[in-house]
Amino acid sequence: MSELGLAKKHTVKLREGSGVLINGETDEYSYVLTAKHVVMGCGTDEEPNCVDCSACTKKDTCTEPICNDLSIVRLNENKLLATEMYLSNQWDALILKVPFQSDLSLTGSFENIEPNATITILGYPENERENTSELVSQIRNFKCNHHDETIEIKRIILRNNSYASQAAIAGFSGGGLFYLDTEANTVTVVGVETRMDNDEAEHGHICGVMLSAHTDIIEENQLAELKPLHLSNFKQLSGGMFPRSYYQHIFDFKHAEFEPLLNWIKAHCNHNLDNLSFTPLQILSDFKKYLSVNDRNPIELEDKACWEKFLELLTLVSIVNDKGFGELEPAALFEEFKIVYIRSNKPWEEHFSEVLTVDTSSLTKNGKILLFFNDVKGENAVIPKKTVDSCVANISGARTDPGAIDAAETIRKEGHTLIHWASLHDEKIFSQPEELKDLTGSEPGLVKVRELYRQYLEFQEGLNV
């Protein structure tokens, strides 16, 4: 699905406005984020922002609508029934709780937006609703540029460079402000649209409320955080282990030849998941510095692909070292392995300067650096030493940052092995069908996995696990 298609999937029609359908860190319910005035019907020409309820001239007659009376419709025409409503008394922000929607993958971003960054707004404009009854024909989008923001009042201002009359924008209120990263194939929501900056302007600025206005509501009401569901428990990730993208490049590939081994590895994982004493969110909270890459947006570390690969690592480490999941501790893992996750479809060589300047102070001597890049295999599972030396020399000669130079030199001196994760699987599993196709049974599977991955994933002697 395209980035725009994904954003549309998360956009709902709500009363005379729009909203963003999104999951939090729970599978008990989902959220619809919108603007308060869309649901409450408040706000006038004199009070267009519908912000501070205490200053509202209509507060004595304002009545919250009954959730059952709200019309919430998804793009696929499915209707949702709101069960609870939470609103901000200070900002034009409101949240509706709806039944859990399992097919949502969009996440929120709380990072600063770069000046002039392209932000796409989606919604159901009033003038389109009159022309057709099909939702897929009603939804519209505008590409805007980030113009300004005011943290104190949680306002985002966008510059719309295309023609957009007031009629074309009416109905967008509550719709999402999306950042579409076409290079990384990701979409995040950064806020919701609230109004035109000037009701008379046909090319005027568009205002939105920052996502933090909605997270304030969530915190005040002790609701599930706006974090991806897969960060709450590794059980949410087991279905994504060893994705087809690992091996779709192989000509005349026959998946059935590898199913016994892959199924056995996945079965070992699923059988032991209840014994894990930590979650991805806890690792991000306590060990983020062991995962982060200098100067990259830390939001990448919430990507599902990162944690699916991490679960593959946990499973293979468990098998190779004959350790139960309950015996695996993040602190010990990060002594042996440095995880480098970069949301990129490019070869690792195009990111070598970032890779080779990461902090490896937690690694033991000869510890390994695992490159959790894209799922397409590289030229080598283990990056050749001469390649590493050449890249380090390039960094030392081209950069002026002493810290980066020292970090690169440390990687070389300490003998840290760089392993391209997808290429390792390709070399050990997907490139030898004849040897693996007849493998059946748990014991042969255990023996084979240990044989294939021992030299890469076996703990060094004396490591406390």
Side-chain angles (χ1 to χ4, degrees):
M1 180 179 293
S2 69
E3 295 80 16
L4 181 58
L6 185 59
K8 287 182 177 180
K9 180 180 178 181
H10 289 73
T11 301
V12 297
K13 184 163 74 170
L14 172 60
R15 280 195 159 184
E16 301 305 315
S18 305
V20 180
L21 183 62
I22 190 171
N23 279 334
E25 196 191 358
T26 180
D27 58 2
E28 296 181 3
Y29 50 82
S30 297
Y31 294 124
V32 172
L33 313 181
T34 189
K36 181 168 60 178
H37 74 265
V38 169
V39 174
M40 303 298 293
C42 51
T44 66
D45 290 340
E46 292 75 29
E47 300 166 331
N49 285 320
C50 187
V51 285
D52 190 352
C53 288
S54 64
C56 179
T57 59
K58 297 184 177 182
K59 65 179 180 179
D60 294 332
T61 58
C62 183
T63 303
E64 293 185 6
I66 299 174
C67 287
N68 289 353
D69 294 338
L70 299 176
S71 175
I72 308 171
V73 190
R74 296 191 64 176
L75 187 65
N76 60 8
E77 305 286 349
N78 286 348
K79 296 182 178 180
L80 302 178
L81 179 65
T83 57
E84 294 182 61
M85 178 169 54
Y86 308 88
L87 57 85
S88 170
N89 288 323
Q90 192 173 10
W91 317 117
D92 193 0
L94 182 143
I95 294 177
L96 296 170
K97 187 187 288 185
V98 297
F100 179 67
Q101 307 293 299
S102 62
D103 61 335
L104 304 178
S105 58
L106 181 150
T107 60
S109 175
F110 304 92
E111 302 300 318
N112 293 332
I113 305 172
E114 295 292 330
N116 293 317
T118 300
I119 302 296
T120 300
I121 67 171
L122 279 95
Y124 291 92
E126 183 179 285
N127 58 358
E128 295 296 336
R129 300 182 189 211
E130 302 171 355
N131 297 333
T132 175
S133 60
E134 296 181 357
L135 261 68
V136 70
S137 300
Q138 294 179 24
I139 194 168
R140 290 290 183 271
N141 65 276
F142 287 102
K143 285 187 177 181
C144 304
N145 292 100
H146 180 231
H147 179 70
D148 197 6
E149 59 187 40
T150 309
I151 303 296
E152 293 76 13
I153 59 174
K154 299 184 183 293
R155 177 182 290 178
I156 302 173
I157 300 177
L158 306 178
R159 183 177 65 255
N160 183 21
N161 296 321
S162 58
Y163 177 81
S165 64
Q166 185 67 23
I169 292 294
F172 268 77
S173 285
L177 309 180
F178 299 95
Y179 175 63
L180 279 58
D181 188 336
T182 55
E183 180 179 338
N185 194 31
T186 58
V187 184
T188 52
V189 59
V190 299
V192 303
E193 196 267 358
T194 53
R195 69 181 180 99
M196 292 285 282
D197 194 39
N198 181 344
D199 289 345
E200 302 300 323
E202 293 189 340
H203 295 276
H205 295 149
I206 296 172
C207 286
V209 63
M210 295 177 177
L211 197 60
S212 58
H214 291 90
T215 57
D216 284 352
I217 298 173
I218 287 172
E219 184 176 345
E220 290 166 4
N221 293 278
Q222 298 182 326
L223 301 172
E225 290 187 59
L226 277 184
K227 292 287 185 182
L229 181 59
H230 61 261
L231 296 181
S232 66
N233 197 306
F234 278 102
K235 289 182 180 180
Q236 303 288 337
L237 296 153
S238 59
M241 294 171 61
F242 297 96
R244 185 170 293 273
S245 52
Y246 275 171
Y247 47 82
Q248 63 185 5
H249 64 282
I250 300 177
F251 179 72
D252 195 27
F253 182 83
K254 296 180 176 60
H255 185 225
E257 296 174 346
F258 303 93
E259 280 185 342
L261 180 62
L262 294 184
N263 287 342
W264 184 84
I265 295 174
K266 293 176 182 179
H268 177 89
C269 172
N270 290 325
H271 181 71
N272 289 279
L273 277 174
D274 286 336
N275 297 321
L276 277 175
S277 60
F278 50 87
T279 67
L281 200 60
Q282 289 170 330
I283 293 176
L284 283 175
S285 174
D286 299 337
F287 300 95
K288 178 177 284 188
K289 67 178 181 179
Y290 301 139
L291 293 163
S292 60
V293 176
N294 301 335
D295 300 325
R296 293 197 67 84
N297 191 333
I299 195 68
E300 290 185 352
L301 294 178
E302 296 186 0
D303 287 356
K304 196 172 186 179
C306 174
W307 295 100
E308 288 168 344
K309 290 175 173 60
F310 194 89
L311 185 56
E312 291 172 4
L313 172 64
L314 290 178
T315 304
L316 295 172
V317 162
S318 168
I319 297 169
V320 167
N321 296 279
D322 194 21
K323 300 288 185 181
F325 274 28
E327 298 176 87
L328 301 178
E329 295 293 338
L333 285 167
F334 291 128
E335 289 180 25
E336 185 73 14
F337 307 107
K338 169 70 179 185
I339 308 299
V340 177
Y341 176 77
I342 293 181
R343 180 195 289 167
S344 174
N345 294 318
K346 298 177 181 178
W348 88 271
E349 290 88 348
E350 296 197 32
H351 294 281
F352 79 85
S353 185
E354 294 171 284
V355 171
L356 294 176
T357 56
V358 295
D359 180 6
T360 55
S361 59
S362 65
L363 279 182
T364 57
K365 187 176 178 62
N366 297 320
K368 303 170 183 69
I369 301 173
L370 305 183
L371 307 183
F372 284 8
F373 271 53
N374 58 69
D375 295 341
V376 179
K377 83 177 193 71
E379 186 175 344
N380 303 100
V382 175
I383 310 303
K385 183 178 182 301
K386 64 179 182 179
T387 301
V388 176
D389 289 346
S390 175
C391 290
V392 170
N394 188 303
I395 291 171
S396 299
R399 297 187 61 157
T400 58
D401 178 6
I405 295 172
D406 289 345
E409 290 289 353
T410 297
I411 289 174
R412 177 166 58 181
K413 291 176 182 177
E414 294 296 317
H416 297 314
T417 302
L418 272 71
I419 300 174
H420 191 281
W421 193 243
S423 299
L424 180 63
H425 292 329
D426 185 79
E427 182 178 299
K428 296 302 165 186
I429 297 179
F430 304 122
S431 293
Q432 47 179 334
E434 292 302 319
E435 185 177 348
L436 301 178
K437 67 179 181 180
D438 297 324
L439 190 67
T440 58
S442 60
E443 186 61 28
L446 182 149
V447 171
K448 178 55 66 174
V449 170
R450 285 179 178 168
E451 173 191 323
L452 295 173
Y453 287 93
R454 176 176 285 118
Q455 71 179 100
Y456 307 98
L457 303 180
E458 189 172 38
F459 286 125
Q460 297 177 52
E461 185 176 354
L463 187 67
N464 181 25
V465 181

